[in-house]
Amino acid sequence: MLATLAAHVVVLLVSDVSAASTPISQLSRGPLGWLHTLGLVMLGAAWLLITPCLWVRERSALWRAGCVLIALSVPVLYYVAYYFATASDAELFSPNANDPLSVLASSLGVAMGAIQPGLRRINSRIARSNLLVLIVWIGLIPVIPFIEPGWLGAYERCVGALMLIWTLLLTEAAAT
């Protein structure tokens, strides 16, 4: 997860683009685009490593469904990485450019909710943190139509930061 964050920050700083306005997809392009793509691949690998550890922590059907959603989000994340690296600029700046991200965000949001009852049984502090991340995650949804193009990058980075925080919570839940 730290490698994912580091890859994003390094490419953001080296590419000399605006963190507020530049969509996250643009970091997968250019000379260090491969590093940003690698960061996304590493995040998926982290989810794949965490999921089996979570699977054995709780036996409820809702928990297991959440684990399955996390595992199924990995190929979606990998598609997003591929899409960012290979789509044309016309596609990436079209009104439907973020559709793959919407699918990923939706599946992760449902997974966050599905694991919440199990987290309460495992660790109440992690459960409270997960609930807070979920509330902010859901709260960002109605904001989407009001985002001005100059702030799209900032919005996507907020969602990405929540995703990394949530992954850290999953790691802690898997380890407890």
Side-chain angles (χ1 to χ4, degrees), residues 20 24 37 50 54 56 63 76 95 102 121 129-130 170:
I24 197 165
T37 301
I50 293 167
L54 289 171
V56 298
W63 179 270
V76 177
S102 299
R121 290 186 286 277
S129 299
N130 181 72
L170 291 179

Side-chain angles (χ1 to χ4, degrees), residues 73-172:
S73 295
V74 173
V76 177
L77 177 62
Y78 288 168
Y79 174 75
V80 166
Y82 171 79
Y83 173 73
F84 284 172
T86 62
S88 69
D89 284 339
E91 287 176 288
L92 290 175
F93 288 102
S94 74
N96 299 328
N98 282 333
D99 286 352
L101 284 177
S102 299
V103 172
L104 180 63
S106 298
S107 66
L108 292 180
V110 173
M112 285 177 201
I115 66 169
Q116 181 62 26
L119 284 175
R120 279 197 317 260
R121 290 186 286 277
I122 293 171
N123 185 310
S124 62
R125 185 191 55 75
I126 297 173
R128 285 190 304 274
S129 299
N130 181 72
L131 183 59
L132 179 61
V133 170
L134 178 59
I135 289 169
V136 174
W137 192 268
I138 292 170
L140 286 172
I141 295 169
V143 175
I144 294 170
F146 303 104
I147 298 172
E148 294 183 25
W151 288 100
L152 179 61
Y155 176 85
E156 290 178 348
R157 282 168 187 77
C158 286
V159 172
L162 284 173
M163 193 180 306
L164 288 178
I165 291 167
W166 182 66
T167 304
L168 286 171
L169 291 171
L170 291 179
T171 303
E172 187 176 356

Side-chain angles (χ1 to χ4, degrees), residues 46-68:
W47 292 346
L48 285 176
L49 292 171
I50 293 167
T51 303
C53 299
L54 289 171
W55 183 266
V56 298
R57 299 287 299 138
E58 175 72 27
R59 300 217 182 270
S60 73
L62 203 51
W63 179 270
R64 296 277 170 102
C67 289
V68 168

Side-chain angles (χ1 to χ4, degrees), residues 1-77:
M1 290 164 291
L2 290 175
T4 299
L5 177 62
H8 180 83
V9 170
V10 166
V11 175
L12 186 64
L13 293 174
V14 171
S15 63
D16 196 34
V17 296
S18 168
S21 62
T22 303
I24 197 165
S25 62
Q26 294 306 297
L27 296 181
S28 292
R29 303 166 104 55
L32 287 180
W34 64 269
L35 183 59
H36 186 258
T37 301
L38 180 62
L40 295 173
V41 170
M42 286 187 290
L43 180 59
W47 292 346
L48 285 176
L49 292 171
I50 293 167
T51 303
C53 299
L54 289 171
W55 183 266
V56 298
R57 299 287 299 138
E58 175 72 27
R59 300 217 182 270
S60 73
L62 203 51
W63 179 270
R64 296 277 170 102
C67 289
V68 168
L69 278 172
I70 295 166
L72 291 176
S73 295
V74 173
V76 177
L77 177 62

